[in-house]
């Protein structure tokens, strides 16, 4: 997206069009000709998977909205009408509900990929920050969407979560009332959540545009963390190399997604949501969708309501300043023996928090949640800054091309280049 | 590279495990585990048992329908593919057994007429208050979605229907009008045992034992909650086969393409 386009339209119409609106050149430069490191592994395919799911959610959502009625007396029944009487309505609805889950699974893998390979570091700080904003808007979108089927968990989930804002002094209660459009979750809440649930995905589209724009200035990071030195030696054009590789990964991920849709469509959902919302009956356990559970655990780990809410926001807020908390110059965990271990502990802690978020907030669970919450913050605020100072990284390869050659060095057909003094540290790691 | 590959695979598995763990969260640790039956509609190729669905409808109509509504169903659904598949003639006759209020007519009067396939299942009570008044204050829930609204739905319902105990264990004080059933939350349920041997007359030679009656009505309720299950599974099978073959081809093409490049 920067610099002079190399795109040359061949037809007269193409030339006429391009000289007035260079949109084909833009597509050419960003999606076809874009120089991409040749050593990206499959963890780099999740960006494409995420884009696919955004489009999928928007398409299934718009068609669902043609049959859905955002009114407390009809919402639950209209979703059931979609399931029973609309042609392939069951497919749309199950695809949209499970699509949201897969979207989050993909974004978590995408984020942890960034953490492992240090993708947030200079010069990609802004790219990372836009990513965190995308994640926040995704969460808001899914939270509001979950109210729409107007089941018991929809109603009580929204009640509990909006209620947390009442923890703020003075402004708390007015905020809650403003969010709900009344004193309790009711028809005005359903109406505004539907309206916003329709809006925020398009905000996401805009943010994703910025994300990709910010990506195309420095280009992709890569598993070695060594920046591209020579476009000729280190990169391949995005098309056909990564269009094909990404498409393959998308199809594989679709198989997982559609397996849920067709064979276990309610596995990730809560049974209580097949009971229509009833303000007079509280479900035994109110749990959010699985993708919110780690934050729910952090929220409930704090005895003080306001403290819990602040800590929950801080748990995502800390990601914004991560590029400045990490003091190491080396990007990839492959070359950071200590960080690599702490990374996997952090993954385990995050999953542990998710597990605890689904358990009742009592006894040992609370204690465990407190310990893991403390560790979660310590990872970013203490471990990351210190590691960069004390860790002795392994020797980095000179370039991507070198690293690739070394990896293939013992391969008889390996391009003839003798393995150099710079060994590929990954194989020894 | 190998080490880090293991590491990243572990990460993916861990992410998946995180999803797997969550549904366990809401299970209540009380009462015996549900009786487990082999339901014909489970598994990738599962379908409902037509005969069982038809018998199940009769159990619902002749027993449960005197207390429980099924508001999301219409009589026409009984002839749809993937369901009990009564013939259209049979459905017309089944619907006509009910009186339905219609109107207003040209004079502005409401009137009663025989049911039509397009009518919703007739409810036993006009409103929640009437339902409670006839059931000692307890509300018989609508059964349209009940199988999907309970954990392990089919097995739970079967266990509930066959799990009544005449004499509660020592020390358990039953409330007024309550019955002992260890599968129900709190073990005391306001619904008296609804099924007994030969409660419904079967005409196809199936023995109308409590077990069979329960099994059939649960099959019927499972269909009512998920009427598109057969369509879903058969389409899903085709789609997944197609995608798996496509993935195989793309893998090969991708490998071929990249073989030109050292990466
Ligand atoms: C970022 C993309 C989106 C996400 C993550 C998302 C998420 C969700 C979730 C979690 C639900 C509740 C599903 C359930 O349990 O039934 C839902 C429902 C719904 N969404 Fe979306 N959604 C997205 C985009 C859209 C768009 C663009 C529309 C267009 C209007 C839309 C329309 C609906 C409707 C009508 C429902 C209610 C029907 C139902 O519950 O299945 N969604 N959404």
């Amino acid at each position: 997206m920067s610099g002079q386009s190399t795109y040359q339209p061949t037809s007269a119409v193409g030339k006429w069009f391009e000289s007035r609106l260079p949109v084909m050149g833009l597509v050419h430069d960003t999606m076809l000709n874009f120089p991409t490191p040749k050593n990206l592994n499959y963890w780099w395919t999740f960006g494409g998977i995420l884009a696919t799911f955004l489009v999928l959610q928007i398409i299934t959502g718009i068609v669902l909205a043609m049959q859905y009625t955002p009114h407390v007396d009809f919402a639950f029944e209209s979703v059931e009408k979609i399931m029973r009487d609309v042609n392939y309505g069951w497919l749309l609805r199950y695809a949209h509900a499970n699509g949201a889950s897969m979207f989050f699974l993909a974004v978590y893998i995408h984020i942890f990929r960034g953490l492992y390979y240090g993708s947030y570091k200079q010069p990609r700080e802004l790219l990372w920050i836009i990513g965190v904003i995308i994640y926040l808007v995704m969460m808001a979108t899914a939270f509001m969407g979950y109210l729409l089927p107007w089941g018991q968990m929809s109603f009580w989930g929204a009640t509990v979560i909006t209620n947390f804002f009442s923890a703020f002094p003075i402004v708390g209660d007015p905020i809650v009332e403003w969010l709900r459009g009344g004193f309790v979750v009711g028809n005005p809440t359903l109406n505004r959540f539907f309206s916003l649930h329709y809006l925020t995905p398009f905000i996401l589209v805009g943010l994703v545009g910025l994300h990709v724009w910010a990506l195309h200035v420095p280009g992709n990071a890569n598993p070695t963390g060594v920046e591209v030195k020579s476009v000729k030696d280190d990169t391949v054009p995005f098309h056909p190399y990564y269009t094909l590789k990404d498409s393959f990964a998308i199809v594989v991920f679709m198989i997982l997604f559609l397996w849920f849709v067709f064979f276990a469509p309610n596995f990730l959902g809560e049974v209580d949501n097949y009971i229509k919302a009833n303000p007079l009956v509280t479900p035994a356990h109110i749990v959010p969708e699985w993708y919110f559970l780690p934050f729910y655990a952090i929220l409930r780990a704090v005895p003080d309501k306001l403290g819990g809410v602040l800590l929950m926001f801080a748990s995502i807020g800390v990601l914004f300043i991560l590029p400045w908390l990490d003091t190491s110059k080396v990007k990839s965990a492959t070359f950071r023996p200590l960080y690599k271990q702490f990374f996997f502990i952090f993954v385990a802690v995050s999953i542990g928090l998710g597990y605890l978020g689904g358990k009742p907030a009592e006894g040992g669970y609370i204690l465990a949640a407190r310990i893991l919450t403390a560790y979660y913050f310590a990872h970013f605020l203490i471990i990351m800054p210190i590691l960069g100072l004390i860790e002795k990284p392994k020797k980095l390869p000179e370039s991507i091309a070198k690293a690739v050659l070394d990896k293939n060095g013992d391969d008889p057909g390996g391009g003839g280049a003798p393995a150099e003094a710079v060994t590929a540290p990954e194989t020894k790691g | 590279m190998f080490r880090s590959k293991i590491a990243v695979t572990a990460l993916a598995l861990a992410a998946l495990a995180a999803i797997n763990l969550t549904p366990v969260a809401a299970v209540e640790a009380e009462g015996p585990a549900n009786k487990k039956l082999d339901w014909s509609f489970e598994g990738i190729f599962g379908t409902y048992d037509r005969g069982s669905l038809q018998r199940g409808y009769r159990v619902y109509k002749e027993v449960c329908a005197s207390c429980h509504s099924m508001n999301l169903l219409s009589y026409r659904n009984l002839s749809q593919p993937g369901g009990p598949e009564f013939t259209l003639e049979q459905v017309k006759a089944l619907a006509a057994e009910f009186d339905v209020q219609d109107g207003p007519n040209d004079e502005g009067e409401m009137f009663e007429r025989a049911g039509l396939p397009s009518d919703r299942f007739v409810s036993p009570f006009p409103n929640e208050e009437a339902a409670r008044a006839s059931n000692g204050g307890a509300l018989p829930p609508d059964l349209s979605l009940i199988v999907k609204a309970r954990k392990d739905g089919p097995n739970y319902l079967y266990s509930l229907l066959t799990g009544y105990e005449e004499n509660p264990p020592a020390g358990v004080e039953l409330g007024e009008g309550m019955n002992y059933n260890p599968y129900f939350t709190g073990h005391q349920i306001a619904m008296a045992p609804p099924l007994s041997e030969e409660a419904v007359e079967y005409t196809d030679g199936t023995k109308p034992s409590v077990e069979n009656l329960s099994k059939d009505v649960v099959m019927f309720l499972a269909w009512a909650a998920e009427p598109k299950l057969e369509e879903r599974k058969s389409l899903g099978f085709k789609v997944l086969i197609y995608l798996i073959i496509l993935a195989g081809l793309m893998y090969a093409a991708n490998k071929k393409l990249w073989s030109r490049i050292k990466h």
Side-chain angles (χ1 to χ4, degrees), chain A residues 318-370:
Chain A
V318 72
L319 294 174
F320 283 105
I321 52 167
L322 174 61
W324 297 276
L325 290 172
D326 186 342
T327 50
S328 173
K329 291 272 177 295
V330 177
K331 293 198 181 87
S332 172
T334 315
F335 304 101
R336 299 185 59 189
L338 283 179
Y339 173 64
K340 189 170 178 171
Q341 291 173 32
F342 282 106
F343 169 82
F344 285 108
I345 296 174
F346 179 71
V347 173
V349 165
S350 305
I351 291 171
L353 280 170
Y355 173 74
L356 294 169
K359 292 287 175 189
E362 58 198 28
Y365 294 133
I366 278 277
L367 183 66
R370 286 188 186 148

Side-chain angles (χ1 to χ4, degrees), chain A residues 57-58 61-62 65 93 96 100 103 141 145 148-149 197-198 201 204 291:
Chain A
Q57 288 302 95
I58 289 179
I62 288 177
R93 199 271 172 130
H96 196 76
F103 203 179
T141 307
L148 304 187
H197 184 68
Y198 211 135
L204 278 175
Y291 39 80

Side-chain angles (χ1 to χ4, degrees), chain A residues 64-137:
Chain A
L64 280 171
M66 294 176 187
Q67 307 281 347
Y68 171 80
T69 311
H71 186 284
V72 290
D73 291 339
F74 307 108
F76 186 85
E77 286 78 2
S78 73
V79 171
E80 277 305 315
K81 189 169 163 16
I82 291 170
M83 295 290 286
R84 288 159 193 270
D85 293 333
V86 173
N87 289 333
Y88 294 104
W90 56 269
L91 180 55
L92 283 171
R93 199 271 172 130
Y94 280 153
H96 196 76
N98 286 285
S101 273
M102 292 297 127
F103 203 179
F104 277 93
L105 176 61
V107 88
Y108 284 134
I109 296 175
H110 194 66
I111 292 173
F112 279 112
R113 187 283 315 262
L115 292 175
Y116 185 84
Y117 291 110
S119 307
Y120 47 84
K121 289 189 206 188
Q122 203 258 331
R124 296 185 184 78
E125 303 93 325
L126 206 52
L127 173 58
W128 170 261
I129 288 173
I130 295 168
V132 180
I133 297 173
I134 289 175
Y135 174 49
L136 282 172
V137 177

Side-chain angles (χ1 to χ4, degrees), chain A residues 38 42-43 84-85 90 94 241-242 245 247-248 258 262-263 265 267-268 293 344 351 358 404 407 426 429, chain B residues 1 3 7-8 14 19-20 22 25 44 148 224 226 228 232 236 243 247 250 254 258 260-263:
Chain A
K38 57 185 181 182
Y42 276 100
W43 301 106
R84 288 159 193 270
D85 293 333
W90 56 269
Y94 280 153
Y241 292 96
Y242 285 106
K245 187 171 177 175
S247 309
F248 167 63
L258 291 175
F262 287 115
F263 298 115
F267 179 78
L268 298 166
L293 290 174
F344 285 108
I351 291 171
V404 165
K407 195 181 81 172
E426 311 113 296
Chain B
M1 203 61 218
R3 268 281 192 84
V8 266
I19 324 174
N20 268 321
T22 49
I44 297 185
K148 287 206 289 194
E226 189 71 8
K228 298 298 168 72
R232 165 159 66 74
L243 282 183
M250 290 180 84
N254 189 50
W258 280 87
R260 298 194 236 139
I261 302 272
K262 288 264 147 276
H263 63 283

